[in-house]
Amino acid sequence: MPSRQDILNAKILVVDDSPDNIELMEEILREEGYTDVSSTMLPEQVCPMHREHNYDLILLDLQMPGLNGFQVMKGLKEIEQGGYLPVLALTAQPSFKIAALEAGARDFISKPFDLLEVHKRIHNMLEVRLLYKELAQYSRAQQELALHDALTGLPNRRLLEDRIETALQHASRNHHKAAVMYLDLDGFKAINDTYGHAYGDEVLKIVSQRLLANSRKEDTVSRLGGDEFMVVLGDVHTLADAQGPAAKLVEAVSAPFFINDLTLQLSTSIGISLYPDDAENVADLISIADYALYEAKRSGKNRFCANGSAARQAAQAVKPALPTPAPAAPLSAELAQHR
C-alpha cells in the first residue's frame, strides 16, 4: 500500500477557469501537506501537460469556456488507453455528478467545497491511483521476467522464437537472409563441478556480456538455459556474413575469465543455419543450427560450423576460428572430458 508520504508527494493538477477557485484549492492542498501541485486555467493545456507529467490526480472543473470538462476527459482517455483515468470532477451541478462518472471520472467534489469532503476524496483517490500504478509496474516486471533469463537478463527461449520469426519476416520482405547461431560452452560442466555453481554463474554472466559486446545492436542474443546461447542475425546476404561474427564470438569467449582469485578459461562451439537457404521456419532453423553445433563439437570444439545447404554451396569449407586454448586453472583428465 502507498505510504502517507507517497500520497503527499503525488503529482496533482488543478484545472479551473476561476482564479479564485484555483487559489482556494491550492491553499487547501498546501495546508494538507501536498508537495507537487500545478494548475492551469486553460483546459486545452490539460492533455499536453498530462502527457508530459503523468499526473496522479487531476482536479477538473466540468464547466469551463472553450473545452468543457467532459471534452477534456475524452482527450485524457486517449492518453491513458485502458488505464486508470485519474480525474476528480469539480462541479456545482448535481446533475453533472453521474454524467462525470459515466464519462470516466473516478469521483467528484461538490461546489462550494466542504473541507472534510475535499480532503477525504482526494486522499482516497490518490491511494487507489498509486496502488494501481504499483500493480501496473509489478505486472510489467512479471512480464519482463517471463520473457528474460533471470541470471543474465538476456531474452529467453520464449522471446527468442518471436525475435527469430520477426527477423525471418523482415528478411523475406527485403529479400535478404537471416542467420541463427547456436552456441554451447566447451568445458563449462568441469568448471561447475570443480569450483561450484557460483563460479559457473559468474562465467555465464561474463559470457552474456561478451556476446552482447561483440554483436550488433540489432541482433538478438539469448540464453536458452544451462550453458547454451543463441544469436540471431538479421539483414545478412551470404553465409560469410554469419561466419565473420561467429569467428568474433569464438575469439571473445576464449579470453580468460578473472573471477575472484581464479583465472578460468573455456571456449565455445557454434552451429550456424541460414534463412531461407537451410530452412524457412523457426523450428527447422534451430534444429539445423543445433546439428551444426554438434559437428563443431565433434570436430574438436572452439570453432564454428555450418553444414546446411548454405554451407554445402559455399566455395570454401569452414575452418576453425582459433586453436583450442589450454585452461589456465588446471583440471583433471576426467573433468576435461566433460562437454
Side-chain angles (χ1 to χ4, degrees):
M1 290 291 290
S3 67
R4 174 168 173 76
Q5 196 58 49
D6 290 334
I7 292 173
L8 292 178
N9 291 337
K11 291 185 286 186
I12 301 174
L13 177 65
V14 181
V15 187
D16 202 304
D17 64 315
S18 167
D20 291 338
N21 286 341
I22 285 182
E23 185 178 353
L24 174 60
M25 184 58 71
E26 287 180 335
E27 183 178 352
I28 291 172
L29 293 169
R30 279 195 303 269
E31 289 181 354
E32 186 64 14
Y34 292 100
T35 62
D36 193 348
V37 180
S38 305
S39 63
T40 181
M41 296 174 57
L42 302 173
E44 62 271 16
Q45 289 185 349
V46 176
C47 289
M49 291 176 71
H50 183 52
R51 196 175 280 112
E52 180 180 355
H53 300 287
N54 189 28
Y55 293 106
D56 298 306
L57 175 62
I58 300 175
L59 295 162
L60 179 64
D61 185 23
L62 295 180
Q63 291 179 285
M64 294 180 290
L67 288 178
N68 60 41
F70 296 100
Q71 293 169 312
V72 171
M73 280 191 283
K74 184 178 179 180
L76 290 172
K77 281 183 178 179
E78 295 177 2
I79 298 173
E80 293 289 334
Q81 292 189 344
Y84 186 95
L85 196 64
V87 171
L88 190 54
L90 308 176
T91 180
Q93 299 294 329
S95 61
F96 283 3
K97 294 177 181 179
I98 299 302
L101 296 175
E102 291 176 343
R106 290 299 173 182
D107 204 348
F108 56 83
I109 296 175
S110 301
K111 293 181 179 181
F113 299 141
D114 176 271
L115 196 57
L116 183 61
E117 177 190 17
V118 169
H119 287 318
K120 195 63 178 176
R121 290 187 186 275
I122 289 175
H123 179 277
N124 288 349
M125 184 167 165
L126 281 172
E127 189 174 59
V128 173
R129 167 66 168 177
L130 295 179
L131 180 59
Y132 181 90
K133 289 175 71 174
E134 286 180 5
L135 292 174
Q137 290 171 358
Y138 176 78
S139 177
R140 287 192 294 272
Q142 291 298 106
Q143 187 176 18
E144 282 294 303
L145 287 174
L147 296 175
H148 290 80
D149 174 56
L151 178 66
T152 64
L154 296 177
N156 60 18
R157 180 181 287 271
R158 180 180 171 189
L159 180 56
L160 168 71
E161 292 179 353
D162 181 70
R163 294 278 181 88
I164 297 176
E165 187 62 48
T166 300
L168 301 191
Q169 293 172 2
H170 180 78
S172 178
R173 283 195 303 269
N174 293 281
H175 306 290
H176 292 161
K177 301 181 189 297
V180 170
M181 298 195 298
Y182 205 140
L183 294 78
D184 183 278
L185 302 181
D186 306 322
F188 178 73
K189 186 177 185 301
I191 289 178
N192 260 349
D193 292 345
T194 305
Y195 305 109
H197 289 277
Y199 279 85
D201 286 349
E202 288 304 311
V203 167
L204 292 173
K205 291 177 186 177
I206 296 171
V207 168
S208 68
Q209 293 165 4
R210 292 181 182 180
L211 296 181
L212 286 170
N214 289 277
S215 299
R216 300 175 303 179
K217 185 177 180 180
E218 62 268 27
D219 296 335
T220 294
V221 178
S222 170
R223 182 186 176 210
L224 301 182
D227 60 335
E228 295 184 335
F229 296 82
M230 190 165 286
V231 180
V232 183
L233 288 73
D235 194 21
V236 299
H237 300 278
T238 66
L239 179 60
D241 293 333
Q243 290 173 327
K248 188 177 180 182
L249 295 180
V250 169
E251 183 178 4
V253 174
S254 68
F257 292 77
F258 302 102
I259 303 174
N260 297 330
D261 56 341
L262 289 179
T263 300
L264 305 175
Q265 198 152 11
L266 73 165
S267 59
T268 188
S269 299
I270 302 176
I272 305 172
S273 63
L274 198 66
Y275 167 89
D277 303 52
D278 296 331
E280 296 187 1
N281 63 73
V282 175
D284 288 346
L285 283 166
I286 292 176
S287 179
I288 291 170
D290 189 19
Y291 185 74
L293 168 61
Y294 169 79
E295 288 295 309
K297 292 276 190 182
R298 193 174 65 85
S299 300
K301 305 179 181 178
N302 191 38
R303 65 192 65 208
F304 60 86
C305 178
N307 59 4
S309 60
R312 290 192 294 271
Q313 293 168 10
Q316 185 177 1
V318 177
K319 296 182 179 180
L322 287 173
T324 304
L331 302 177
S332 68
E334 179 183 354
L335 289 172
Q337 293 175 359
H338 289 297
R339 173 177 175 175

mmCIF file of all heavy atoms in Angstrom, residues 120-162:
data_model
loop_
_atom_site.group_PDB
_atom_site.id
_atom_site.type_symbol
_atom_site.label_atom_id
_atom_site.label_comp_id
_atom_site.label_asym_id
_atom_site.label_seq_id
_atom_site.Cartn_x
_atom_site.Cartn_y
_atom_site.Cartn_z
ATOM 1 N N LYS A 120 -10.908 14.024 2.169
ATOM 2 C CA LYS A 120 -11.157 12.583 2.149
ATOM 3 C C LYS A 120 -11.179 12.036 0.728
ATOM 4 O O LYS A 120 -10.580 10.996 0.431
ATOM 5 C CB LYS A 120 -12.477 12.280 2.851
ATOM 6 C CG LYS A 120 -12.641 10.809 3.208
ATOM 7 C CD LYS A 120 -11.568 10.387 4.213
ATOM 8 C CE LYS A 120 -11.734 8.936 4.640
ATOM 9 N NZ LYS A 120 -10.654 8.498 5.524
ATOM 10 N N ARG A 121 -11.851 12.734 -0.171
ATOM 11 C CA ARG A 121 -11.960 12.231 -1.544
ATOM 12 C C ARG A 121 -10.603 12.267 -2.262
ATOM 13 O O ARG A 121 -10.263 11.358 -3.014
ATOM 14 C CB ARG A 121 -13.005 13.032 -2.318
ATOM 15 C CG ARG A 121 -14.439 12.775 -1.843
ATOM 16 C CD ARG A 121 -15.456 13.451 -2.752
ATOM 17 N NE ARG A 121 -16.808 13.333 -2.249
ATOM 18 C CZ ARG A 121 -17.610 12.283 -2.463
ATOM 19 N NH1 ARG A 121 -17.172 11.254 -3.171
ATOM 20 N NH2 ARG A 121 -18.842 12.258 -1.977
ATOM 21 N N ILE A 122 -9.831 13.328 -2.022
ATOM 22 C CA ILE A 122 -8.506 13.417 -2.642
ATOM 23 C C ILE A 122 -7.602 12.309 -2.114
ATOM 24 O O ILE A 122 -6.926 11.612 -2.888
ATOM 25 C CB ILE A 122 -7.887 14.800 -2.407
ATOM 26 C CG1 ILE A 122 -8.628 15.857 -3.240
ATOM 27 C CG2 ILE A 122 -6.395 14.794 -2.748
ATOM 28 C CD1 ILE A 122 -8.161 17.277 -2.986
ATOM 29 N N HIS A 123 -7.581 12.124 -0.805
ATOM 30 C CA HIS A 123 -6.743 11.096 -0.206
ATOM 31 C C HIS A 123 -7.125 9.710 -0.722
ATOM 32 O O HIS A 123 -6.260 8.915 -1.116
ATOM 33 C CB HIS A 123 -6.858 11.140 1.321
ATOM 34 C CG HIS A 123 -6.028 10.096 2.015
ATOM 35 N ND1 HIS A 123 -6.456 8.790 2.185
ATOM 36 C CD2 HIS A 123 -4.782 10.161 2.571
ATOM 37 C CE1 HIS A 123 -5.525 8.097 2.807
ATOM 38 N NE2 HIS A 123 -4.504 8.899 3.053
ATOM 39 N N ASN A 124 -8.416 9.402 -0.721
ATOM 40 C CA ASN A 124 -8.869 8.081 -1.146
ATOM 41 C C ASN A 124 -8.523 7.815 -2.613
ATOM 42 O O ASN A 124 -8.080 6.721 -2.976
ATOM 43 C CB ASN A 124 -10.375 7.937 -0.932
ATOM 44 C CG ASN A 124 -10.740 7.822 0.533
ATOM 45 O OD1 ASN A 124 -9.875 7.641 1.398
ATOM 46 N ND2 ASN A 124 -12.029 7.935 0.829
ATOM 47 N N MET A 125 -8.699 8.832 -3.447
ATOM 48 C CA MET A 125 -8.446 8.618 -4.860
ATOM 49 C C MET A 125 -6.953 8.459 -5.131
ATOM 50 O O MET A 125 -6.542 7.616 -5.948
ATOM 51 C CB MET A 125 -9.008 9.770 -5.686
ATOM 52 C CG MET A 125 -8.845 9.521 -7.178
ATOM 53 S SD MET A 125 -9.795 10.654 -8.170
ATOM 54 C CE MET A 125 -8.999 10.355 -9.749
ATOM 55 N N LEU A 126 -6.128 9.250 -4.447
ATOM 56 C CA LEU A 126 -4.691 9.113 -4.633
ATOM 57 C C LEU A 126 -4.206 7.749 -4.147
ATOM 58 O O LEU A 126 -3.317 7.137 -4.766
ATOM 59 C CB LEU A 126 -3.946 10.223 -3.899
ATOM 60 C CG LEU A 126 -3.923 11.578 -4.610
ATOM 61 C CD1 LEU A 126 -3.333 12.644 -3.699
ATOM 62 C CD2 LEU A 126 -3.131 11.489 -5.914
ATOM 63 N N GLU A 127 -4.766 7.273 -3.073
ATOM 64 C CA GLU A 127 -4.379 5.958 -2.562
ATOM 65 C C GLU A 127 -4.671 4.875 -3.595
ATOM 66 O O GLU A 127 -3.825 4.004 -3.862
ATOM 67 C CB GLU A 127 -5.139 5.665 -1.264
ATOM 68 C CG GLU A 127 -4.665 4.427 -0.537
ATOM 69 C CD GLU A 127 -5.354 4.286 0.804
ATOM 70 O OE1 GLU A 127 -6.596 4.197 0.833
ATOM 71 O OE2 GLU A 127 -4.633 4.245 1.834
ATOM 72 N N VAL A 128 -5.839 4.943 -4.228
ATOM 73 C CA VAL A 128 -6.206 3.968 -5.248
ATOM 74 C C VAL A 128 -5.332 4.134 -6.487
ATOM 75 O O VAL A 128 -4.860 3.159 -7.080
ATOM 76 C CB VAL A 128 -7.694 4.103 -5.613
ATOM 77 C CG1 VAL A 128 -8.052 3.200 -6.792
ATOM 78 C CG2 VAL A 128 -8.562 3.759 -4.414
ATOM 79 N N ARG A 129 -5.109 5.386 -6.886
ATOM 80 C CA ARG A 129 -4.298 5.659 -8.079
ATOM 81 C C ARG A 129 -2.879 5.118 -7.919
ATOM 82 O O ARG A 129 -2.341 4.454 -8.811
ATOM 83 C CB ARG A 129 -4.260 7.173 -8.331
ATOM 84 C CG ARG A 129 -3.220 7.646 -9.343
ATOM 85 C CD ARG A 129 -3.499 7.175 -10.744
ATOM 86 N NE ARG A 129 -2.655 7.865 -11.717
ATOM 87 C CZ ARG A 129 -2.640 7.608 -13.011
ATOM 88 N NH1 ARG A 129 -3.430 6.661 -13.499
ATOM 89 N NH2 ARG A 129 -1.858 8.274 -13.838
ATOM 90 N N LEU A 130 -2.247 5.397 -6.783
ATOM 91 C CA LEU A 130 -0.875 4.944 -6.570
ATOM 92 C C LEU A 130 -0.804 3.430 -6.448
ATOM 93 O O LEU A 130 0.162 2.802 -6.909
ATOM 94 C CB LEU A 130 -0.290 5.615 -5.323
ATOM 95 C CG LEU A 130 -0.126 7.136 -5.417
ATOM 96 C CD1 LEU A 130 0.440 7.689 -4.120
ATOM 97 C CD2 LEU A 130 0.774 7.524 -6.584
ATOM 98 N N LEU A 131 -1.815 2.830 -5.850
ATOM 99 C CA LEU A 131 -1.867 1.377 -5.772
ATOM 100 C C LEU A 131 -2.014 0.779 -7.165
ATOM 101 O O LEU A 131 -1.369 -0.220 -7.497
ATOM 102 C CB LEU A 131 -3.027 0.931 -4.882
ATOM 103 C CG LEU A 131 -3.207 -0.582 -4.701
ATOM 104 C CD1 LEU A 131 -1.957 -1.202 -4.096
ATOM 105 C CD2 LEU A 131 -4.428 -0.886 -3.841
ATOM 106 N N TYR A 132 -2.827 1.405 -8.000
ATOM 107 C CA TYR A 132 -2.996 0.956 -9.381
ATOM 108 C C TYR A 132 -1.663 1.016 -10.123
ATOM 109 O O TYR A 132 -1.300 0.095 -10.858
ATOM 110 C CB TYR A 132 -4.036 1.832 -10.077
ATOM 111 C CG TYR A 132 -4.316 1.450 -11.512
ATOM 112 C CD1 TYR A 132 -5.318 0.528 -11.823
ATOM 113 C CD2 TYR A 132 -3.580 2.005 -12.558
ATOM 114 C CE1 TYR A 132 -5.569 0.174 -13.139
ATOM 115 C CE2 TYR A 132 -3.824 1.653 -13.869
ATOM 116 C CZ TYR A 132 -4.825 0.745 -14.158
ATOM 117 O OH TYR A 132 -5.064 0.390 -15.463
ATOM 118 N N LYS A 133 -0.899 2.093 -9.926
ATOM 119 C CA LYS A 133 0.396 2.228 -10.581
ATOM 120 C C LYS A 133 1.381 1.169 -10.086
ATOM 121 O O LYS A 133 2.163 0.609 -10.868
ATOM 122 C CB LYS A 133 0.965 3.628 -10.344
ATOM 123 C CG LYS A 133 0.230 4.723 -11.099
ATOM 124 C CD LYS A 133 0.733 6.101 -10.755
ATOM 125 C CE LYS A 133 2.112 6.369 -11.303
ATOM 126 N NZ LYS A 133 2.526 7.778 -11.085
ATOM 127 N N GLU A 134 1.354 0.871 -8.780
ATOM 128 C CA GLU A 134 2.225 -0.169 -8.244
ATOM 129 C C GLU A 134 1.912 -1.522 -8.874
ATOM 130 O O GLU A 134 2.816 -2.282 -9.240
ATOM 131 C CB GLU A 134 2.058 -0.261 -6.721
ATOM 132 C CG GLU A 134 2.699 0.877 -5.946
ATOM 133 C CD GLU A 134 2.508 0.720 -4.450
ATOM 134 O OE1 GLU A 134 1.949 -0.328 -4.024
ATOM 135 O OE2 GLU A 134 2.905 1.627 -3.694
ATOM 136 N N LEU A 135 0.620 -1.821 -8.995
ATOM 137 C CA LEU A 135 0.213 -3.096 -9.585
ATOM 138 C C LEU A 135 0.600 -3.159 -11.056
ATOM 139 O O LEU A 135 1.012 -4.209 -11.559
ATOM 140 C CB LEU A 135 -1.302 -3.298 -9.419
ATOM 141 C CG LEU A 135 -1.784 -3.520 -7.979
ATOM 142 C CD1 LEU A 135 -3.312 -3.554 -7.927
ATOM 143 C CD2 LEU A 135 -1.212 -4.816 -7.416
ATOM 144 N N ALA A 136 0.461 -2.025 -11.765
ATOM 145 C CA ALA A 136 0.831 -1.990 -13.177
ATOM 146 C C ALA A 136 2.332 -2.214 -13.343
ATOM 147 O O ALA A 136 2.770 -2.941 -14.237
ATOM 148 C CB ALA A 136 0.415 -0.657 -13.793
ATOM 149 N N GLN A 137 3.141 -1.598 -12.476
ATOM 150 C CA GLN A 137 4.590 -1.784 -12.531
ATOM 151 C C GLN A 137 4.965 -3.226 -12.210
ATOM 152 O O GLN A 137 5.847 -3.807 -12.844
ATOM 153 C CB GLN A 137 5.277 -0.828 -11.548
ATOM 154 C CG GLN A 137 5.208 0.631 -11.970
ATOM 155 C CD GLN A 137 5.688 1.572 -10.879
ATOM 156 O OE1 GLN A 137 6.036 1.147 -9.783
ATOM 157 N NE2 GLN A 137 5.689 2.867 -11.169
ATOM 158 N N TYR A 138 4.282 -3.806 -11.238
ATOM 159 C CA TYR A 138 4.534 -5.208 -10.884
ATOM 160 C C TYR A 138 4.190 -6.125 -12.051
ATOM 161 O O TYR A 138 4.933 -7.067 -12.354
ATOM 162 C CB TYR A 138 3.708 -5.589 -9.655
ATOM 163 C CG TYR A 138 3.824 -7.039 -9.264
ATOM 164 C CD1 TYR A 138 4.943 -7.500 -8.576
ATOM 165 C CD2 TYR A 138 2.829 -7.945 -9.591
ATOM 166 C CE1 TYR A 138 5.070 -8.833 -8.218
ATOM 167 C CE2 TYR A 138 2.939 -9.283 -9.239
ATOM 168 C CZ TYR A 138 4.057 -9.727 -8.549
ATOM 169 O OH TYR A 138 4.171 -11.047 -8.213
ATOM 170 N N SER A 139 3.079 -5.821 -12.725
ATOM 171 C CA SER A 139 2.668 -6.632 -13.871
ATOM 172 C C SER A 139 3.693 -6.556 -14.989
ATOM 173 O O SER A 139 4.039 -7.570 -15.610
ATOM 174 C CB SER A 139 1.297 -6.167 -14.375
ATOM 175 O OG SER A 139 0.904 -6.887 -15.519
ATOM 176 N N ARG A 140 4.214 -5.338 -15.250
ATOM 177 C CA ARG A 140 5.234 -5.179 -16.283
ATOM 178 C C ARG A 140 6.516 -5.927 -15.908
ATOM 179 O O ARG A 140 7.164 -6.552 -16.752
ATOM 180 C CB ARG A 140 5.534 -3.697 -16.515
ATOM 181 C CG ARG A 140 4.434 -2.954 -17.260
ATOM 182 C CD ARG A 140 4.918 -1.590 -17.714
ATOM 183 N NE ARG A 140 5.206 -0.700 -16.619
ATOM 184 C CZ ARG A 140 4.321 0.100 -16.047
ATOM 185 N NH1 ARG A 140 3.073 0.120 -16.482
ATOM 186 N NH2 ARG A 140 4.663 0.905 -15.055
ATOM 187 N N ALA A 141 6.858 -5.867 -14.622
ATOM 188 C CA ALA A 141 8.062 -6.563 -14.163
ATOM 189 C C ALA A 141 7.911 -8.069 -14.321
ATOM 190 O O ALA A 141 8.845 -8.764 -14.728
ATOM 191 C CB ALA A 141 8.352 -6.208 -12.704
ATOM 192 N N GLN A 142 6.720 -8.588 -13.997
ATOM 193 C CA GLN A 142 6.472 -10.017 -14.152
ATOM 194 C C GLN A 142 6.529 -10.432 -15.609
ATOM 195 O O GLN A 142 7.031 -11.513 -15.945
ATOM 196 C CB GLN A 142 5.105 -10.383 -13.551
ATOM 197 C CG GLN A 142 5.042 -10.288 -12.033
ATOM 198 C CD GLN A 142 6.007 -11.256 -11.366
ATOM 199 O OE1 GLN A 142 7.035 -10.865 -10.840
ATOM 200 N NE2 GLN A 142 5.689 -12.527 -11.398
ATOM 201 N N GLN A 143 6.019 -9.573 -16.467
ATOM 202 C CA GLN A 143 6.062 -9.869 -17.901
ATOM 203 C C GLN A 143 7.506 -9.906 -18.402
ATOM 204 O O GLN A 143 7.878 -10.773 -19.202
ATOM 205 C CB GLN A 143 5.259 -8.837 -18.682
ATOM 206 C CG GLN A 143 5.117 -9.162 -20.159
ATOM 207 C CD GLN A 143 4.229 -8.169 -20.879
ATOM 208 O OE1 GLN A 143 3.972 -7.072 -20.386
ATOM 209 N NE2 GLN A 143 3.755 -8.545 -22.042
ATOM 210 N N GLU A 144 8.328 -8.963 -17.916
ATOM 211 C CA GLU A 144 9.734 -8.957 -18.294
ATOM 212 C C GLU A 144 10.430 -10.231 -17.816
ATOM 213 O O GLU A 144 11.226 -10.830 -18.544
ATOM 214 C CB GLU A 144 10.434 -7.730 -17.689
ATOM 215 C CG GLU A 144 10.156 -6.436 -18.424
ATOM 216 C CD GLU A 144 10.756 -6.453 -19.825
ATOM 217 O OE1 GLU A 144 11.974 -6.658 -19.957
ATOM 218 O OE2 GLU A 144 9.987 -6.272 -20.787
ATOM 219 N N LEU A 145 10.115 -10.653 -16.585
ATOM 220 C CA LEU A 145 10.713 -11.872 -16.063
ATOM 221 C C LEU A 145 10.308 -13.085 -16.875
ATOM 222 O O LEU A 145 11.094 -14.026 -17.051
ATOM 223 C CB LEU A 145 10.311 -12.071 -14.591
ATOM 224 C CG LEU A 145 10.968 -11.137 -13.570
ATOM 225 C CD1 LEU A 145 10.372 -11.356 -12.193
ATOM 226 C CD2 LEU A 145 12.482 -11.369 -13.537
ATOM 227 N N ALA A 146 9.074 -13.077 -17.376
ATOM 228 C CA ALA A 146 8.588 -14.212 -18.157
ATOM 229 C C ALA A 146 9.279 -14.314 -19.504
ATOM 230 O O ALA A 146 9.266 -15.379 -20.129
ATOM 231 C CB ALA A 146 7.080 -14.102 -18.353
ATOM 232 N N LEU A 147 9.877 -13.219 -19.972
ATOM 233 C CA LEU A 147 10.489 -13.195 -21.302
ATOM 234 C C LEU A 147 12.011 -13.109 -21.264
ATOM 235 O O LEU A 147 12.647 -13.128 -22.314
ATOM 236 C CB LEU A 147 9.936 -12.007 -22.105
ATOM 237 C CG LEU A 147 8.438 -12.048 -22.413
ATOM 238 C CD1 LEU A 147 8.009 -10.758 -23.106
ATOM 239 C CD2 LEU A 147 8.082 -13.250 -23.274
ATOM 240 N N HIS A 148 12.586 -13.010 -20.066
ATOM 241 C CA HIS A 148 14.038 -12.846 -19.956
ATOM 242 C C HIS A 148 14.623 -13.831 -18.953
ATOM 243 O O HIS A 148 13.965 -14.230 -17.994
ATOM 244 C CB HIS A 148 14.395 -11.410 -19.544
ATOM 245 C CG HIS A 148 14.125 -10.399 -20.613
ATOM 246 N ND1 HIS A 148 12.857 -9.904 -20.857
ATOM 247 C CD2 HIS A 148 14.941 -9.801 -21.522
ATOM 248 C CE1 HIS A 148 12.913 -9.041 -21.867
ATOM 249 N NE2 HIS A 148 14.159 -8.966 -22.279
ATOM 250 N N ASP A 149 15.852 -14.206 -19.200
ATOM 251 C CA ASP A 149 16.577 -15.101 -18.325
ATOM 252 C C ASP A 149 16.916 -14.391 -17.017
ATOM 253 O O ASP A 149 17.454 -13.279 -17.030
ATOM 254 C CB ASP A 149 17.859 -15.559 -19.028
ATOM 255 C CG ASP A 149 18.744 -16.375 -18.125
ATOM 256 O OD1 ASP A 149 18.270 -17.391 -17.593
ATOM 257 O OD2 ASP A 149 19.920 -15.989 -17.942
ATOM 258 N N ALA A 150 16.607 -15.027 -15.895
ATOM 259 C CA ALA A 150 16.777 -14.366 -14.601
ATOM 260 C C ALA A 150 18.245 -14.109 -14.273
ATOM 261 O O ALA A 150 18.565 -13.107 -13.634
ATOM 262 C CB ALA A 150 16.140 -15.225 -13.505
ATOM 263 N N LEU A 151 19.156 -14.974 -14.701
ATOM 264 C CA LEU A 151 20.569 -14.820 -14.348
ATOM 265 C C LEU A 151 21.257 -13.749 -15.177
ATOM 266 O O LEU A 151 21.974 -12.896 -14.648
ATOM 267 C CB LEU A 151 21.298 -16.163 -14.522
ATOM 268 C CG LEU A 151 22.797 -16.135 -14.230
ATOM 269 C CD1 LEU A 151 23.050 -15.848 -12.753
ATOM 270 C CD2 LEU A 151 23.444 -17.465 -14.639
ATOM 271 N N THR A 152 21.060 -13.775 -16.482
ATOM 272 C CA THR A 152 21.814 -12.884 -17.376
ATOM 273 C C THR A 152 21.016 -11.687 -17.865
ATOM 274 O O THR A 152 21.593 -10.726 -18.371
ATOM 275 C CB THR A 152 22.302 -13.664 -18.609
ATOM 276 O OG1 THR A 152 21.152 -14.110 -19.361
ATOM 277 C CG2 THR A 152 23.123 -14.877 -18.191
ATOM 278 N N GLY A 153 19.685 -11.748 -17.750
ATOM 279 C CA GLY A 153 18.845 -10.679 -18.277
ATOM 280 C C GLY A 153 18.628 -10.760 -19.773
ATOM 281 O O GLY A 153 17.933 -9.908 -20.351
ATOM 282 N N LEU A 154 19.188 -11.766 -20.431
ATOM 283 C CA LEU A 154 19.007 -11.921 -21.877
ATOM 284 C C LEU A 154 17.621 -12.468 -22.185
ATOM 285 O O LEU A 154 16.985 -13.111 -21.342
ATOM 286 C CB LEU A 154 20.059 -12.886 -22.429
ATOM 287 C CG LEU A 154 21.521 -12.468 -22.335
ATOM 288 C CD1 LEU A 154 22.418 -13.593 -22.861
ATOM 289 C CD2 LEU A 154 21.775 -11.182 -23.099
ATOM 290 N N PRO A 155 17.116 -12.236 -23.399
ATOM 291 C CA PRO A 155 15.852 -12.863 -23.799
ATOM 292 C C PRO A 155 15.925 -14.382 -23.631
ATOM 293 O O PRO A 155 16.965 -14.995 -23.907
ATOM 294 C CB PRO A 155 15.721 -12.475 -25.282
ATOM 295 C CG PRO A 155 16.501 -11.205 -25.408
ATOM 296 C CD PRO A 155 17.649 -11.343 -24.450
ATOM 297 N N ASN A 156 14.820 -14.983 -23.153
ATOM 298 C CA ASN A 156 14.799 -16.428 -23.028
ATOM 299 C C ASN A 156 14.240 -17.065 -24.300
ATOM 300 O O ASN A 156 13.980 -16.375 -25.291
ATOM 301 C CB ASN A 156 13.998 -16.849 -21.790
ATOM 302 C CG ASN A 156 12.544 -16.375 -21.841
ATOM 303 O OD1 ASN A 156 12.018 -16.029 -22.901
ATOM 304 N ND2 ASN A 156 11.887 -16.354 -20.698
ATOM 305 N N ARG A 157 14.043 -18.382 -24.289
ATOM 306 C CA ARG A 157 13.616 -19.078 -25.494
ATOM 307 C C ARG A 157 12.268 -18.565 -25.997
ATOM 308 O O ARG A 157 12.058 -18.441 -27.210
ATOM 309 C CB ARG A 157 13.529 -20.589 -25.235
ATOM 310 C CG ARG A 157 13.092 -21.384 -26.459
ATOM 311 C CD ARG A 157 12.986 -22.851 -26.154
ATOM 312 N NE ARG A 157 14.272 -23.486 -26.002
ATOM 313 C CZ ARG A 157 14.942 -24.023 -27.019
ATOM 314 N NH1 ARG A 157 14.452 -23.979 -28.238
ATOM 315 N NH2 ARG A 157 16.108 -24.597 -26.797
ATOM 316 N N ARG A 158 11.372 -18.243 -25.081
ATOM 317 C CA ARG A 158 10.041 -17.771 -25.483
ATOM 318 C C ARG A 158 10.137 -16.492 -26.312
ATOM 319 O O ARG A 158 9.527 -16.379 -27.377
ATOM 320 C CB ARG A 158 9.193 -17.534 -24.230
ATOM 321 C CG ARG A 158 7.788 -17.033 -24.502
ATOM 322 C CD ARG A 158 7.058 -16.841 -23.189
ATOM 323 N NE ARG A 158 5.784 -16.161 -23.380
ATOM 324 C CZ ARG A 158 5.025 -15.719 -22.385
ATOM 325 N NH1 ARG A 158 5.407 -15.905 -21.136
ATOM 326 N NH2 ARG A 158 3.887 -15.092 -22.638
ATOM 327 N N LEU A 159 10.927 -15.533 -25.831
ATOM 328 C CA LEU A 159 11.090 -14.284 -26.561
ATOM 329 C C LEU A 159 11.970 -14.493 -27.788
ATOM 330 O O LEU A 159 11.752 -13.871 -28.835
ATOM 331 C CB LEU A 159 11.702 -13.223 -25.644
ATOM 332 C CG LEU A 159 11.946 -11.833 -26.246
ATOM 333 C CD1 LEU A 159 10.655 -11.263 -26.829
ATOM 334 C CD2 LEU A 159 12.517 -10.890 -25.200
ATOM 335 N N LEU A 160 12.950 -15.378 -27.677
ATOM 336 C CA LEU A 160 13.854 -15.638 -28.793
ATOM 337 C C LEU A 160 13.096 -16.102 -30.032
ATOM 338 O O LEU A 160 13.341 -15.616 -31.146
ATOM 339 C CB LEU A 160 14.872 -16.709 -28.394
ATOM 340 C CG LEU A 160 15.704 -17.291 -29.543
ATOM 341 C CD1 LEU A 160 16.696 -16.259 -30.057
ATOM 342 C CD2 LEU A 160 16.401 -18.560 -29.107
ATOM 343 N N GLU A 161 12.182 -17.049 -29.869
ATOM 344 C CA GLU A 161 11.457 -17.585 -31.021
ATOM 345 C C GLU A 161 10.648 -16.494 -31.715
ATOM 346 O O GLU A 161 10.546 -16.459 -32.943
ATOM 347 C CB GLU A 161 10.569 -18.744 -30.584
ATOM 348 C CG GLU A 161 11.382 -19.963 -30.145
ATOM 349 C CD GLU A 161 10.516 -21.119 -29.695
ATOM 350 O OE1 GLU A 161 9.277 -20.936 -29.602
ATOM 351 O OE2 GLU A 161 11.068 -22.213 -29.422
ATOM 352 N N ASP A 162 10.105 -15.559 -30.924
ATOM 353 C CA ASP A 162 9.388 -14.429 -31.510
ATOM 354 C C ASP A 162 10.352 -13.517 -32.273
ATOM 355 O O ASP A 162 10.027 -13.030 -33.363
ATOM 356 C CB ASP A 162 8.674 -13.641 -30.405
ATOM 357 C CG ASP A 162 7.884 -12.471 -30.945
ATOM 358 O OD1 ASP A 162 6.854 -12.709 -31.600
ATOM 359 O OD2 ASP A 162 8.299 -11.317 -30.725
#
